[in-house]
Amino acid sequence: MNELFNGIHKIVLPFQSPLNHVNVYLIEGEELTLIDAGVNSSQAWSELEFQINSLGYKVTDIKNIVITHHHPDHIGLLDYFSHDVKVFGHSYNESWINDYKNLQMHFNKFINHHIKAYGIPDGFKKTLIKKETEGVASTKKITNFLTEGQVLPFLPGFKVLETPGHCSTHICLYRKTDGLLIGGDLLINNIFLNTFMEPPMIGSNERPKLLLEYNKSLLRIKNLDINLIYPGHGEEIKEIDLLIDLQFKKQQKRKKRVMRLLREKPHTIYELCTKLFVGLYEIQFALALSETIGIIDLLKEEKHIVINKTDEVWVCNLNPVPAYF
């Protein structure tokens, strides 16, 4: 734990994943505010209590929790807090947090429909289908929805930026006076696979194209006067433009790889996934597939490829009327 700047304290909580940890931020002011809520574990809760106590506070002193997005490592401890605590987040969080059972059924229906279309073997199906015990559901509701440009009275100087891409619910908090961004998982040092496939919103038939949204969010951040990012994982980010440029270079490399593969022959989405992410797809298939679909979305948007959906298994081909690459 350390004080980063003028009453903002980074608290590092344990998280059993390749990342090993998640950052939450305690912000002092007229009211004590926590940004994100870690993973749901007694170990994480004990560590949060210990670090807050070491600052001279108790967890019961926290009046507001702002969540940057709905992923389980950012909302996990919500139910440990008093019902009096106000919870702030994007309105899209509501289905993920409070109506997860219905969303889970919706997601599994979407996956079952697309497994054959993507050419995915049955052996990988279990890595995509959500089990009932895997929900991120919480009994604590989002009490206040956040929207673009909103200013929170208990966080003077900060305004809300809607930054979808990592997921559909993602927001950041931006303070223009000193160029500080509390960035959630928008950018993380040394992480270049950063979008996760989501089903269409309930009531919609269109899957969110999150890598396209992610790139728009990155360009938006790059065009703001930002000097420092406090991320959801890892160390603070100072070389912001460099990291964004690296993200785009990684994407460009993958796009060119797909184009080379399609010049050889048409491929299913699963086949492209296995060739783009050798060594990864076997152990983190959902992540590899999500990024593959994102790259395909980019190439399709740029009119470099087309997808033949006439057969049961969809096939990616080069666009017969090629765009400049």
Side-chain angles (χ1 to χ4, degrees), residues 254-318:
R254 292 179 188 125
K255 286 160 59 178
K256 289 181 177 179
R257 171 69 172 149
V258 169
M259 294 289 286
R260 286 196 299 269
L261 289 168
L262 294 183
R263 287 189 187 102
E264 296 172 4
K265 66 169 188 174
H267 283 67
T268 67
I269 292 172
Y270 171 76
E271 288 170 340
L272 290 173
C273 179
T274 63
K275 294 178 181 179
L276 276 178
F277 298 106
V278 176
L280 177 68
Y281 84 91
E282 301 94 333
I283 55 175
Q284 294 194 51
F285 182 63
L287 177 59
L289 179 65
S290 296
E291 188 70 12
T292 301
I293 290 170
I295 294 297
I296 291 169
D297 285 342
L298 290 177
L299 288 169
K300 193 167 180 290
E301 179 78 7
E302 296 164 0
K303 303 187 186 307
H304 294 303
I305 69 171
V306 293
I307 301 177
N308 184 342
K309 299 182 179 180
T310 56
D311 297 324
E312 188 176 50
V313 178
W314 298 351
V315 176
C316 301
N317 295 273
L318 292 178

Side-chain angles (χ1 to χ4, degrees), residues 136-161:
V136 296
S138 169
T139 61
K140 189 176 292 298
K141 294 183 179 295
I142 304 291
T143 57
N144 299 77
F145 294 137
L146 299 178
T147 57
E148 172 67 29
Q150 188 171 345
V151 176
L152 302 175
F154 53 85
L155 293 177
F158 282 101
K159 74 173 183 178
V160 174
L161 303 182

Side-chain angles (χ1 to χ4, degrees), residues 63-324:
K63 302 301 181 186
N64 311 293
I65 301 173
V66 178
I67 59 172
T68 60
H69 60 294
H70 73 269
H71 287 168
D73 53 323
H74 292 261
I75 66 142
L77 295 177
L78 284 181
D79 282 346
Y80 285 74
F81 287 89
S82 163
H83 287 288
D84 296 332
V85 174
K86 294 179 181 178
V87 181
F88 295 76
H90 196 281
S91 62
Y92 288 174
N93 285 291
E94 191 170 33
S95 293
W96 289 100
I97 296 175
N98 301 131
D99 193 22
Y100 187 77
K101 186 174 181 180
N102 285 334
L103 189 66
Q104 178 188 60
M105 293 171 58
H106 180 61
F107 181 83
N108 288 346
K109 182 179 178 181
F110 165 79
I111 289 296
N112 278 318
H113 176 72
H114 284 78
I115 278 175
K116 285 188 176 180
Y118 292 165
I120 297 170
D122 288 341
F124 285 99
K125 180 178 178 178
K126 63 183 179 181
T127 68
L128 299 174
I129 296 296
K130 302 289 187 183
K131 300 176 182 177
E132 291 185 6
T133 56
E134 292 178 343
V136 296
S138 169
T139 61
K140 189 176 292 298
K141 294 183 179 295
I142 304 291
T143 57
N144 299 77
F145 294 137
L146 299 178
T147 57
E148 172 67 29
Q150 188 171 345
V151 176
L152 302 175
F154 53 85
L155 293 177
F158 282 101
K159 74 173 183 178
V160 174
L161 303 182
E162 294 184 5
T163 51
H166 176 67
C167 60
S168 58
T169 63
H170 202 282
I171 64 157
C172 296
L173 296 172
Y174 175 50
R175 190 166 65 190
K176 186 176 181 179
T177 53
D178 57 0
L180 174 63
L181 186 79
I182 300 178
D185 285 358
L186 181 66
L187 275 174
I188 303 169
N189 279 315
N190 301 314
I191 299 293
F192 299 102
L193 297 175
N194 204 24
T195 60
F196 292 86
M197 179 175 60
E198 292 182 5
M201 297 291 291
I202 294 176
S204 171
N205 294 319
E206 186 174 356
R207 169 183 58 82
K209 295 180 174 59
L210 288 176
L211 192 55
L212 273 69
E213 295 298 316
Y214 182 68
N215 288 351
K216 291 176 185 177
S217 293
L218 289 185
L219 289 173
R220 183 184 184 197
I221 294 302
K222 190 174 183 180
N223 289 327
L224 292 174
D225 186 14
I226 298 175
N227 299 315
L228 187 63
I229 296 177
Y230 294 166
H233 305 270
E235 297 301 317
E236 294 70 54
I237 301 169
K238 297 179 181 178
E239 300 292 340
I240 297 156
D241 286 357
L242 176 62
L243 186 55
I244 291 173
D245 289 343
L246 282 172
Q247 288 282 357
F248 287 132
K249 286 179 181 177
K250 294 282 187 180
Q251 291 177 23
Q252 190 72 4
K253 184 177 179 180
R254 292 179 188 125
K255 286 160 59 178
K256 289 181 177 179
R257 171 69 172 149
V258 169
M259 294 289 286
R260 286 196 299 269
L261 289 168
L262 294 183
R263 287 189 187 102
E264 296 172 4
K265 66 169 188 174
H267 283 67
T268 67
I269 292 172
Y270 171 76
E271 288 170 340
L272 290 173
C273 179
T274 63
K275 294 178 181 179
L276 276 178
F277 298 106
V278 176
L280 177 68
Y281 84 91
E282 301 94 333
I283 55 175
Q284 294 194 51
F285 182 63
L287 177 59
L289 179 65
S290 296
E291 188 70 12
T292 301
I293 290 170
I295 294 297
I296 291 169
D297 285 342
L298 290 177
L299 288 169
K300 193 167 180 290
E301 179 78 7
E302 296 164 0
K303 303 187 186 307
H304 294 303
I305 69 171
V306 293
I307 301 177
N308 184 342
K309 299 182 179 180
T310 56
D311 297 324
E312 188 176 50
V313 178
W314 298 351
V315 176
C316 301
N317 295 273
L318 292 178
N319 190 340
V321 184
Y324 176 76

